[in-house]
Structures are given as C-alpha cells and as structure tokens.
Amino acid sequence: MRVTGTGHASMRIDTPAGSILCDPWVNPAYFASWFPFPDNSQLDWAALGDVDYLYVSHLHRDHFDAAHLKRYVSKRATVLLPAFPTSEMEDELRELGFTQFLKAPNEEVVDLGGGLKVMIQALTSPTDGPIGDSSLWVEHDGVRLLNQNDARPTDLSVFTELGHVHAHMLQFSGAIWYPMVYELPNAAKTAFGKQKRDRQFDRTWRYIDDLKADHVFPIAGPPCFLDDTLWQFNDIHGDEGNIFPDQSVFLDEYAKVGGTNGVVLLPGSVAEVTADGCQTTHPVPVAEFFANKVAHLEEMRERKQPIIAAEKASWRHPEVDVLGEMQRRIEPLLNESIYLAKGVGGPVRFDLVDVDDAGTETVESIVVDFPGKQVRPYADEKVRYRFRTERALIEHLLHIGEVDWVNSLFLSCRFSAARIGQYNEFVYAFFKCLSQERLQYAEGWYDEHERAVDAEDITLGDWVVQRRCPHLKADLSRFGIVADDQLTCQLHGWRFDLASGRCLTSVGHKIRAERADEQTPAPVVETTTT
Ligand code: FES
C-alpha cells in the first residue's frame, strides 16, 4: 500500500485495487486564517485528484475545501460517505458535481473489490466536528491502515478487532482557539496553553498505545497563520504555551515516551507500507525542512498576501442590519432550544468593532439572551460570555447565511473572548447549529443522553466512579486518572472533583463518585425461580 503525503490531514492511498484521496485541503480556511503547513499548493493536484475514491472525514474547512474539490478532484470518483446524521456533506458534494456515493454503514467493513476493503466509523455527537467526524480504515493484501485524523472515538477496539494495523495516522497538534483568544494575563495564557499542549500529547500517546500500529504518522496539523495579525500563533517564537507544535516536535516528544516508529510525511513524501516495514522517500530531508521552518513560513507569508487581501476585501457588507438579521435568524432557534439554551444559561454578548487606520472602535453591542430567548442590544448587564470581533466578519456570516459560526468565525481566531465561570460547551454547540436541521439534531442528542442512565461503576484508586465519562462517554477505566481526589479524563482533559462530583472544566456534567471504603453495601435481594 502506497501513501502519498499531500499536506495537513490529506493523503492519497494507492493500492492495485484502487486509489483513495483523503481530505485534500489547499485554500485558506476560516476567514483566511489557516493555511496548510507545509505548503502543498505546488503539488500536481490534477494528477493527485484523478482517483477512484474520495473520502472527506468531516466538514471542517481544513478537511473539506470546496473550491479545491470542485476544480481538482475527478467527478468520476466514488465518494466514501460516513453515516452522518444530516445530509449536509452529501448535499455539498453533489453541488460540487460529485454523483457517485457509497454510503458506508457505520463500523461495517465494505468490500470494494480486488481485495480492497474499507470501514468508516462516524462520530455523531454535537461536539464532534461540525455535527460529525469520522475515521477511515483501509485493508489491502493483508496491510491495514487507520486514518483517524481529528476524530476522537472513545476507544479504538472496533479497529483492533479487525486485525493488526500497520499504519496509524492521527492528529497530535491543536486545532482550536483556546486559550489564545481569551483576554487573560500572558502568564495565565501560557500556563493554560502548556496544559493544553501536554494534554494533546497525552491523548495522542493513549491512542497510539491502544492501536499498537507498526508505524505512526502525525497528521492533521498544525496549520500556519500567515496574516500579520495572527502570525504569533505559529510555534516559532519559543512560547511553551503554544498549542500548535509541529511534526518534528511530535517526534521529539514521542521519543521521550519511548516512541521510535514515527513517520513524518511532507507534501510529496511517499511511504510504501507493507506487512514487514515502511520505506519512505521525501522531497527534501525532513530534519532539514524543519530546521528551515521560519524561512519557509516567511516565504509563504510573502507569497500568500494577495490571497489574504482579496479575502479581506470580500467581508464587508455595511448594508447588513446586523441586529435585525441576528434576530431574524437566531430568535426562532432560541425558541426551539431546550437543552442548549438551558445549558448556556445566561446572556452572550457580541461586541462588534470597526478597524481602520485610526484604531479600533466598538460600534455595536448585541446580546443573545438565552434565558429570555431574545436577541437585543446589550443592556449593561452581566453576561456569561463576551466575544469581541470585527463587525465585517459578522456581516459576512449573515450575508452568506452561515449556519456554523464555529466552522467559520471561532476557528478563525479573529476574535477575543472573556467569560464568567467555567467553559460552557453549549455556547459553541449552539453557534454551530444555526439551522433548524442541526439544532433539532443537537437537541435530540442531548435529550437522549440526559435520559441515558449509566449505571456501571468501576474502582479507580480510592474511588468508585461511574464507568463512562459524563462528557462524551469515554471509558474511564482506560482514560480516567485519579490524583489528589480529582479525576482527569484524558480524552479531552476534563477534570472532576470526586468528593462533590462537580465537573471542574465545564458547567453541568456531574460525575457519580464515592470513596471505595465508604461504599454502601448492596442490598440483599431474594430471588425465587419458578
Ligand atoms: S469524554 Fe471528553 S473528557 Fe471524557
């Protein structure tokens, strides 16, 4: 099996029975904030896009590049489609001209003929990608590969059951706006960033250890930031709180925990994976490339400026009545929302600013009032979250009818934020569900999970706790670590105070826990047989 690195989470898999292009991403994403790193725009995309199958893991714009898919990927390709709850991905791909779809039943092996088999695992909680994320397993001639990319399944047993995996591709770097955009003192930001960076690596080691593949390929990050206002997010400034470590840092960190089977793919690298080994060739030596990272980024920054300038010029729509449009689009959704609105539990404020040569000025302050089910001008009140961003960005989102402000505004990092209290996942879940279809799905999902009784307990250290994490049901016998009477679930790093059951990371999500030596003995139940 041949794997060609095509940048970020993208790769082309070639076998004698067919080729699969995964997640091709070249154009900047999220308001021209993210660019693929290393640059992959000079690959021969016409040849790479001439494939039998296309797999797009999810709709995040650094995986789903509509302009690139339209121009470069053969419309004769059959799309391997994850079993997502909404039809958005299929609809968008049809719009781009794709007509052949293979809807892969969730977690079922599909035989594509000639010995080529695939299986897709779709994750479907409202916090997985933009309503869905997925992983692709591929087998040919006894060689198996798992392209896990950004997906965070609770465990990998569904793949390990299918036999030993030879190549494991997974995310290791950050892909979020936390903590950089928060209005915090620099020392606190660095401390939170460092924690986050450590957690990302811990989670990666956990998955690697679960699968025990012969070769581990760090993929799906980091992006690079080429706009001057975001340049500081590149991990080139010696900031230990930077959440975007690159592939060479991965190799160093992996070596510290004993990892010796890491394989970095640059755009254009080719790995021949067999049951006995992996031979890789690179367009330039990997160590040399990363030694020259700053020069590479500076050259890219220079070359991509016209693209950034053209994108920026398209954002302003001063004719948009921002308050009126937000009321028209968001109030009906607030009225339909039960779980998300209750979960947010307070007003969320948007300060909209104009930026010009004279400086930055707040021109409008709007509140999305979740308890009051209203969008209205800010009334000098306490708010749960405050976001501060350019008015032009919101104008643009309203102009194009964007239903997912996470997959556009928030991932752009072109905002700052402050909040009272803990992280609140419902805020972001709501702003990624600005359509009736998405909102109804998310509401239904929370409804089902609120009702689900998770009765099984396990013992961790001195504590008996519920087996499944209150966040997204990770098996705490694998992901839970107890220290100082606190439990950390390593899947997303959420922490719980075991004495009170309180979640220390996010509101709600209480855990059931009791000291093992204080456990009430189970009542004796008499049974009779008939
Ligand atoms: S499942 Fe997310 S922190 Fe446990």
Side-chain angles (χ1 to χ4, degrees):
M1 194 180 290
R2 170 180 297 175
V3 181
T4 304
T6 47
H8 198 64
S10 174
M11 70 193 78
R12 176 173 156 140
I13 301 165
D14 281 279
T15 73
S19 51
I20 308 171
L21 183 64
C22 306
D23 288 348
W25 172 46
V26 176
N27 296 297
Y30 316 123
F31 285 110
S33 294
W34 292 34
F35 283 77
F37 169 80
D39 187 22
N40 60 357
S41 57
Q42 282 145 0
L43 294 176
D44 181 356
W45 280 106
L48 290 166
D50 187 13
V51 278
D52 303 305
Y53 300 97
L54 168 70
Y55 166 69
V56 179
S57 59
H58 61 299
L59 280 171
H60 272 155
R61 298 301 168 191
D62 55 317
H63 298 254
F64 184 99
D65 179 347
H68 188 78
L69 290 169
K70 183 167 184 170
R71 173 147 182 214
Y72 288 107
V73 180
S74 166
K75 302 303 171 291
R76 290 186 305 276
T78 298
V79 178
L80 302 174
L81 202 64
F84 286 146
T86 71
S87 63
E88 279 175 84
M89 181 181 282
E90 183 179 345
D91 298 345
E92 290 207 32
L93 287 166
R94 282 193 189 278
E95 287 252 307
L96 298 175
F98 293 92
T99 56
Q100 305 193 58
F101 291 86
L102 193 160
K103 295 182 190 174
N106 196 33
E107 299 182 0
E108 277 182 32
V109 175
V110 179
D111 193 337
L112 298 178
L116 179 60
K117 295 179 185 166
V118 296
M119 182 173 83
I120 299 177
Q121 180 186 54
L123 305 180
T124 56
S125 97
T127 49
D128 286 315
I131 309 291
D133 201 342
S134 68
S135 304
L136 172 74
W137 172 95
V138 182
E139 181 186 85
H140 183 266
D141 201 17
V143 178
R144 297 182 199 90
L145 165 160
L146 175 64
N147 172 11
Q148 186 184 338
N149 67 80
D150 298 7
R152 296 192 198 161
T154 51
D155 63 59
L156 298 177
S157 54
V158 63
F159 303 110
T160 51
E161 281 161 11
L162 297 173
H164 179 70
V165 172
H166 302 90
H168 185 188
M169 286 80 177
L170 81 169
Q171 187 189 44
F172 65 99
S173 195
I176 194 137
W177 51 88
Y178 173 86
M180 306 88 73
V181 303
Y182 278 91
E183 295 166 15
L184 291 166
N186 279 342
K189 235 187 243 193
T190 302
F192 290 134
K194 190 168 172 341
Q195 264 175 21
K196 167 108 185 63
R197 188 172 164 122
D198 291 347
R199 274 205 324 256
Q200 290 166 184
F201 280 125
D202 286 345
R203 181 177 57 233
T204 308
W205 311 149
R206 179 69 51 143
Y207 279 130
I208 291 172
D209 191 48
D210 265 12
L211 199 64
K212 297 191 173 36
D214 293 346
H215 314 286
V216 172
F217 296 72
I219 63 157
C224 61
F225 299 89
L226 303 180
D227 189 1
D228 289 346
T229 57
L230 306 168
W231 180 251
Q232 73 273 15
F233 296 155
N234 296 304
D235 191 16
I236 51 174
H237 308 288
D239 170 9
E240 57 177 359
N242 185 296
I243 67 157
F244 298 110
D246 64 31
Q247 294 85 340
S248 75
V249 177
F250 167 89
L251 290 182
D252 293 344
E253 294 297 316
Y254 191 34
K256 287 183 196 162
V257 294
T260 53
N261 59 348
V263 183
V264 170
L265 293 180
L266 299 172
S269 297
V270 176
E272 299 283 353
V273 184
T274 66
D276 304 319
C278 173
Q279 287 279 347
T280 312
T281 52
H282 301 287
V284 289
V286 172
E288 185 184 310
F289 174 81
F290 284 99
N292 293 318
K293 178 178 177 180
V294 176
H296 177 80
L297 287 176
E298 280 172 349
E299 186 279 326
M300 259 183 106
R301 169 161 71 165
E302 189 76 22
R303 191 158 36 90
K304 303 288 185 182
Q305 282 315 303
I307 297 176
I308 297 173
E311 286 239 9
K312 284 185 170 177
S314 71
W315 298 340
R316 285 241 62 168
H317 305 279
E319 73 284 359
V320 173
D321 166 11
V322 172
L323 173 63
E325 270 303 291
M326 283 178 70
Q327 285 169 329
R328 194 174 71 76
R329 286 166 197 228
I330 295 178
E331 282 185 353
L333 300 171
L334 288 173
N335 281 320
E336 279 177 30
S337 176
I338 300 164
Y339 285 93
L340 296 182
K342 189 168 144 241
V344 177
V348 171
R349 167 178 159 195
F350 285 84
D351 283 348
L352 308 183
V353 303
D354 260 353
V355 183
D356 57 25
D357 295 343
T360 303
E361 187 198 353
T362 303
V363 288
E364 201 162 355
S365 220
I366 293 173
V367 155
V368 180
D369 179 351
F370 284 85
K373 312 256 176 192
Q374 257 191 336
V375 178
R376 55 174 171 72
Y378 170 59
D380 212 14
E381 67 223 273
K382 266 210 173 131
V383 295
R384 187 76 186 72
Y385 269 71
R386 177 173 56 69
F387 298 115
R388 185 177 162 79
T389 191
E390 269 187 68
R391 189 181 197 275
L393 302 189
I394 304 290
E395 288 169 7
H396 187 68
L397 295 177
L398 294 167
H399 176 76
I400 63 172
E402 177 61 67
V403 301
D404 187 340
W405 289 17
V406 169
N407 200 7
S408 48
L409 172 67
F410 293 116
L411 279 166
S412 79
C413 303
R414 293 184 184 275
F415 70 105
S416 69
R419 68 178 192 229
I420 298 177
Q422 295 164 314
Y423 165 72
N424 186 313
E425 76 176 49
F426 302 102
V427 171
Y428 296 111
F430 182 83
F431 285 104
K432 76 161 71 157
C433 290
L434 299 179
S435 73
Q436 201 171 38
E437 189 188 21
R438 283 192 176 200
L439 186 84
Q440 284 304 316
Y441 175 72
E443 288 286 328
W445 192 92
Y446 281 109
D447 187 36
E448 237 170 64
H449 285 74
E450 285 273 304
R451 286 167 203 269
V453 180
D454 196 344
E456 196 183 344
D457 286 337
I458 53 165
T459 302
L460 282 180
D462 295 340
W463 291 87
V464 176
V465 298
Q466 66 187 61
R467 178 171 192 147
R468 294 283 167 182
C469 176
H471 179 215
L472 288 177
K473 307 279 173 209
D475 184 347
L476 292 172
S477 67
R478 303 166 76 91
F479 285 90
I481 290 184
V482 170
D484 299 331
D485 294 339
Q486 280 186 11
L487 181 145
T488 303
C489 171
Q490 289 194 307
L491 192 52
H492 307 98
W494 284 29
R495 289 182 305 118
F496 301 85
D497 173 55
L498 292 172
S500 62
R502 201 162 67 84
C503 177
L504 302 172
T505 308
S506 179
V507 280
H509 303 285
K510 205 167 174 197
I511 197 167
R512 183 175 65 245
E514 207 175 8
R515 275 199 185 279
D517 53 9
E518 285 172 8
Q519 264 217 306
T520 344
V524 178
V525 180
E526 288 191 353
T527 55
T528 54
T529 49
T530 54

